[in-house]
Amino acid sequence: MWDLLGKKFKSRFLLGTSGYPSPEILKKSVLDSEVEIVTMSLRRSGAMSEGTAFWEILKELPVHFLPNTAGCHSVKEAVTTAHMAREVFNTNWIKLEIIGDDYNLQPDPFALVEGTKILLEEGFEVFPYMTDDLVLAEKLVDLGVRILMPWASPIGSGKGLINEYALKTLRNRFPDLNLIIDAGIGKPSEAARAMEMGYDGVLLNTAVSQALTPCLMAKAFSETIKGGRKGFEAGLMEERDFATPSTPVVGTPFWHQEKNNEKHSSCEKKNDLFTS
Amino acid sequence: MQELSLGIVGAGIMGKMVGLLALKRGHRVSYFDNNPMLFDGTQDKTIPCSLVAAGMLSPFCELEKADLIISRLGEESLPLWEEISRDLSRSFYFQKKGGIVVSHPEDKNEVFNLKRKLKQHNLEYVYEEIPKTKLDSFEPDLSFNFKEALYFPNEGHVDPLSFHKAFVEKIIPQCTSSHFETEVLNIKPYKIETTKGHHSFDYVIDCRGLETKKDLDSLRGVRGEVIKVQAQGIKISRPVRLMHPRYQIYVVPRPMNSYLIGATTIESEDFSPVSVRSALELLSAFYSLNSSFSEARILEMNVQCRPAFTNNNPKIIFNKEGGLIRVNGLYRHGYLTSPKLAEILLNKMNDTSGNNSSFSECCFWEDL
């Protein structure tokens, strides 16, 4: 079981709720993939205004809700949205997303730090959506966040893990913190890769909602995320730059041994030539 | 064929279509609607959904998000539209010149996504990839900004306002009675109760859209915002869809050099006026087709909520005891699918008259 802020979850797959062909397909995708945490935006879902039909549909799902501040461009907007989310969804969890660039929706690191500080002081559990910058992560951790949500690549780009080095650095630097990859994942194999690196969870939306068959894609992600996690827990072998036979040479028929010996001795001869 | 009396509640696109086709089959039709018969801009009423709509008849482009059933209903509705257009006055604006799909170079994967969806349904033959030279002859005012496009020859568009006017002129006089600006208090099998009295019919057909919500609780409203503009000295003659990762915006030509730019799709039953963000999105998309559109004049901005079921597909629901049929959930496909839906409804109604006990909630799509 995955312990996330004192709550236990079987699934490490978090799903977004926008852009599906219909609410029915969204529901089926969540159920088929056994996702237990879904995220939704408040600003345009209308929960703040009269209509809450979409929210009523979501409420029927057996999931925990992680409201987000998608579409906010300033600290003030994001804080106000977080306040509304706390009332509407009855949770102190908030995925803090403050956009710094309109084209690639890159989060604004400076506003993120400022907004996180305010919301933590107000008792929120902040899930900061961030780039993979180490110094930014340190500042957020210093403020007291218990989760970091670095991007794999820009939202909806499907470019996968564009900077594995940076993601590995975050994992190594914060071994005890919950690290969730948020955004940019396009393929199930990329989600598996993030999990193999020791990430605690993966959040995505577009790769599922824009698939030809979203329910099937949700299931595919669910399975590879499980697989990736198991791989991490089992302990991956270290890469080597040379081949090692998995079958020991001892016990192979003698004519094979002879061939091997010939190869080795010719290699040695070549090496002798170079060294002499 | 038995001649039946039909009481149609709601004269939006679905109600209009049922009545229009029913009259052709010799049934007697009465209309009930709490809206005025014609909008002249002085009424203190929200413009109904069917008059805010863009009126695109694009069975294939809609597959970008919609189910195959929508595409089939739409495809079979097109010849019915042609027939309706012949029957109605010439002032009804109906065009079947096809539709265009474009994207800016950085978003060309969005066009690829649409092609992928069409391929999934073996529909690669419904479009042509046209180079700049052909786009030049088709839509010269688009070819400045776009080097290529997809052309869907078997698509069309209508102007909902001119359809409404033609309907009022030609169809309403053929009806047994029409009760506009009349509040319907109660709908029951065979009976309609209004503030002015009771009326009995062989069938009551409920086409009220979102107003039926209290009777169909799985219905929801999905907000859509549109902007109507008028442009001089520049012309686009076919509906154009601009594919973009965040918003799919279309521009539909209307009479008198005007265009409808639509439409946002926001999961909310919010009828408040168009937001600044949506206006910016819609207008920037329009402007990006050709910068000469910057001098276009904004005529109207409108908001409505489309009635939709959770699968975003329509439903025809027959009451088990007979005497009442509801058709609803046309979502953003009212003009696209209503002719075929009306035809299916009338065929099934005919099959079941005298034998009403066999139907409850049905979709009847098996024949398509």
Side-chain angles (χ1 to χ4, degrees):
Chain A
M1 291 289 253
W2 180 29
D3 188 325
L4 183 64
L5 304 173
K7 289 193 166 63
K8 303 275 189 224
F9 296 99
K10 277 190 219 154
S11 167
R12 291 170 178 270
F13 177 20
L14 296 83
L15 195 59
T17 54
S18 74
Y20 288 78
S22 71
E24 191 171 283
I25 291 174
L26 159 64
K27 262 168 84 175
K28 199 168 178 318
S29 302
V30 169
L31 295 174
D32 286 3
S33 59
E34 296 171 335
V35 156
E36 291 171 294
I37 302 171
V38 300
T39 178
M40 77 280 283
S41 111
L42 197 62
R43 295 184 84 249
R44 303 203 92 188
S45 73
M48 59 196 275
S49 57
E50 290 169 48
T52 55
F54 187 65
W55 168 227
E56 289 300 322
I57 293 169
L58 291 180
K59 265 206 309 207
E60 291 168 16
L61 294 168
V63 292
H64 192 85
F65 294 105
L66 171 59
N68 65 53
T69 62
C72 289
H73 287 72
S74 70
V75 175
K76 195 181 165 198
E77 260 184 299
V79 168
T80 312
T81 309
H83 289 164
M84 286 188 313
R86 181 156 62 180
E87 265 179 52
V88 175
F89 300 106
N90 197 25
T91 173
N92 68 340
W93 288 17
I94 189 80
K95 186 186 131 184
L96 186 59
E97 186 176 329
I98 306 175
I99 298 306
D101 182 89
D102 257 333
Y103 189 74
N104 68 1
L105 301 178
Q106 182 159 339
D108 177 341
F110 310 102
L112 184 64
V113 170
E114 201 184 327
T116 300
K117 187 167 185 287
I118 296 169
L119 292 172
L120 285 175
E121 280 167 7
E122 292 182 5
F124 281 92
E125 282 291 359
V126 179
F127 292 59
Y129 165 60
M130 55 184 284
T131 54
D132 49 25
D133 187 89
L134 174 65
V135 180
L136 169 61
E138 278 171 345
K139 300 259 183 226
L140 291 167
V141 173
D142 287 347
L143 288 175
V145 298
R146 300 201 278 167
I147 298 135
L148 291 174
M149 295 186 111
W151 73 1
S153 47
I155 299 177
S157 68
K159 287 187 183 295
L161 313 174
I162 48 170
N163 191 347
E164 279 199 22
Y165 164 75
L167 293 174
K168 272 184 196 161
T169 307
L170 288 180
R171 182 67 286 178
N172 292 338
R173 205 58 86 82
F174 307 105
D176 302 322
L177 222 60
N178 266 307
L179 295 187
I180 301 170
I181 291 284
D182 180 7
I185 298 279
K187 301 180 193 81
S189 55
E190 292 156 2
R193 177 79 189 129
M195 296 307 290
E196 286 164 357
M197 283 163 63
Y199 271 76
D200 296 282
V202 169
L203 192 158
L204 55 92
N205 189 149
T206 313
V208 169
S209 69
Q210 305 297 308
L212 288 179
T213 315
C215 313
L216 186 61
M217 189 59 86
K219 230 175 157 186
F221 272 106
S222 166
E223 285 169 12
T224 56
I225 287 169
K226 272 186 210 155
R229 179 66 193 181
K230 278 185 186 154
F232 170 71
E233 285 173 359
L236 302 174
M237 64 170 280
E238 289 300 321
E239 273 182 39
R240 293 177 180 129
D241 287 336
F242 55 91
T244 314
S246 51
T247 315
V249 181
V250 179
T252 49
F254 63 89
W255 60 88
H256 284 176
Q257 280 195 25
E258 268 175 15
K259 266 190 187 167
N260 283 338
N261 287 342
E262 270 170 32
K263 264 187 210 161
H264 281 299
S265 58
S266 67
C267 280
E268 275 162 20
K269 272 178 202 163
K270 272 183 198 163
N271 286 342
D272 287 348
L273 281 176
F274 285 116
T275 47
S276 61
Chain B
M1 191 178 63
Q2 204 182 342
E3 185 190 309
L4 300 167
S5 67
L6 310 181
I8 300 175
V9 191
I13 180 60
M14 193 63 237
K16 281 191 189 86
M17 211 44 87
V18 172
L20 198 150
L21 298 187
L23 285 166
K24 277 182 110 171
R25 293 178 182 212
H27 298 306
R28 281 167 283 126
V29 172
S30 295
Y31 274 104
F32 297 83
D33 198 306
N34 58 18
N35 284 310
M37 196 186 289
L38 278 176
F39 279 83
D40 58 8
T42 59
Q43 291 102 339
D44 185 25
K45 280 242 178 202
T46 326
I47 299 173
C49 213
S50 63
L51 298 185
V52 170
M56 274 206 294
L57 310 176
S58 49
F60 308 113
C61 288
E62 278 299 316
L63 277 172
E64 204 263 318
K65 273 276 189 306
D67 260 6
L68 188 60
I69 187 61
I70 299 297
S71 177
R72 291 269 185 272
L73 286 166
E75 234 185 312
E76 300 223 7
S77 291
L78 267 172
L80 294 169
W81 269 117
E82 283 176 271
E83 212 179 302
I84 293 163
S85 146
R86 282 194 295 271
D87 295 347
L88 288 180
S89 62
R90 263 191 224 149
S91 63
F92 168 43
Y93 177 92
F94 164 80
Q95 302 274 311
K96 207 189 148 204
K97 292 168 136 180
I100 302 275
V101 173
V102 290
S103 75
H104 293 293
E106 59 274 27
D107 305 323
K108 64 173 190 277
N109 275 351
E110 303 307 312
V111 175
F112 177 74
N113 267 340
L114 173 63
K115 282 159 59 178
R116 201 170 61 119
K117 297 247 160 109
L118 291 163
K119 191 177 173 195
Q120 183 191 16
H121 300 299
N122 299 319
L123 287 169
E124 291 116 311
Y125 63 90
V126 301
Y127 66 88
E128 275 173 49
E129 298 195 49
I130 57 171
K132 190 176 164 59
T133 44
K134 196 161 179 187
L135 189 60
D136 239 346
S137 64
F138 269 38
E139 297 289 353
D141 284 333
L142 272 185
S143 69
F144 184 71
N145 273 353
F146 301 95
K147 290 190 174 64
E148 55 196 356
L150 298 186
Y151 169 55
F152 291 77
N154 290 315
E155 298 200 332
H157 64 285
V158 297
D159 170 27
L161 213 59
S162 75
F163 177 61
H164 183 72
K165 280 182 185 153
F167 178 84
V168 169
E169 278 166 25
K170 277 242 172 170
I171 306 299
I172 292 293
Q174 299 175 40
C175 293
T176 313
S177 64
S178 62
H179 311 260
F180 283 86
E181 288 182 275
T182 303
E183 197 188 336
V184 174
L185 300 172
N186 214 341
I187 292 181
K188 284 182 180 162
Y190 311 104
K191 284 192 172 50
I192 294 169
E193 187 193 337
T194 71
T195 43
K196 294 168 189 162
H198 293 263
H199 305 264
S200 293
F201 301 94
D202 293 326
Y203 274 101
V204 171
I205 301 175
D206 179 2
C207 305
R208 288 173 298 166
L210 210 51
E211 272 180 59
T212 316
K213 213 183 156 188
K214 57 181 184 295
D215 299 312
L216 292 172
D217 56 3
S218 53
L219 206 61
R220 75 184 199 286
V222 181
R223 177 177 163 98
E225 296 149 293
V226 298
I227 300 178
K228 193 174 173 186
V229 298
Q230 192 167 40
Q232 301 297 342
I234 178 162
K235 192 163 177 60
I236 292 175
S237 58
R238 295 169 182 83
V240 178
R241 258 170 223 261
L242 179 64
M243 306 299 280
H244 184 276
R246 271 173 253 165
Y247 10 85
Q248 278 75 48
I249 287 169
Y250 49 75
V251 175
V252 189
R254 287 279 172 87
M256 316 275 287
N257 295 321
S258 62
Y259 299 90
L260 190 90
I261 312 163
T264 55
T265 299
I266 300 168
E267 280 291 351
S268 164
E269 260 164 58
D270 171 6
F271 288 85
S272 63
V274 178
S275 71
V276 170
R277 178 201 291 245
S278 296
L280 285 170
E281 283 173 7
L282 293 169
L283 292 172
S284 337
F286 182 56
Y287 172 72
S288 78
L289 294 181
N290 188 320
S291 53
S292 300
F293 278 130
S294 59
E295 277 307 309
R297 296 294 185 260
I298 297 171
L299 302 179
E300 285 169 27
M301 296 204 190
N302 283 311
V303 171
Q304 256 297 349
C305 288
R306 310 108 158 172
F309 291 110
T310 48
N311 63 0
N312 290 347
N313 290 340
K315 253 186 219 172
I316 304 172
I317 303 165
F318 280 68
N319 184 50
K320 269 188 186 145
E321 287 76 41
L324 174 63
I325 305 166
R326 297 187 202 273
V327 51
N328 216 319
L330 276 69
Y331 185 42
R332 44 183 283 163
H333 308 119
Y335 285 84
L336 178 65
T337 61
S338 56
K340 186 64 191 174
L341 282 171
E343 198 179 75
I344 294 173
L345 183 150
L346 292 169
N347 289 345
K348 292 290 170 185
M349 184 181 78
N350 231 36
D351 293 351
T352 57
S353 42
N355 174 27
N356 289 322
S357 58
S358 57
F359 288 97
S360 53
E361 185 177 305
C362 297
C363 288
F364 309 120
W365 314 141
E366 65 273 21
D367 306 338
L368 289 168

